[in-house]
Amino acid sequence: MDRSGFVKLAVTAFGLVVLSFFVRGTSRLVLGAETAELLQAPLAVVGFGLLCYLFIRATLDAVGVWSVEDPDA
């Protein structure tokens, strides 16, 4: 994975988490609270899981165990 791929994944993960809040809010108005939570949960879990993976990957890069490739170097 290179740095541009890392940034794309980070933006995607953040977008999924934000989208999950919008899905929950809009579906809560139409379908009810319990159904809104069921619709929101997969987006939130995938987004949060991706953010956790990226955090671990960035930490391992900072330590020097598993580097994120720099295409400019």
Side-chain angles (χ1 to χ4, degrees), residues 17-59:
V17 171
V18 170
L19 179 65
S20 74
F21 284 107
F22 282 115
V23 166
R24 183 176 182 174
T26 55
S27 61
R28 188 173 185 166
L29 293 172
V30 178
L31 301 172
E34 293 176 1
T35 307
E37 290 175 4
L38 288 174
L39 291 175
Q40 175 229 0
L43 293 171
V45 168
V46 170
F48 183 71
L50 191 54
L51 286 172
C52 288
Y53 165 74
L54 291 171
F55 174 76
I56 292 170
R57 183 76 191 262
T59 303

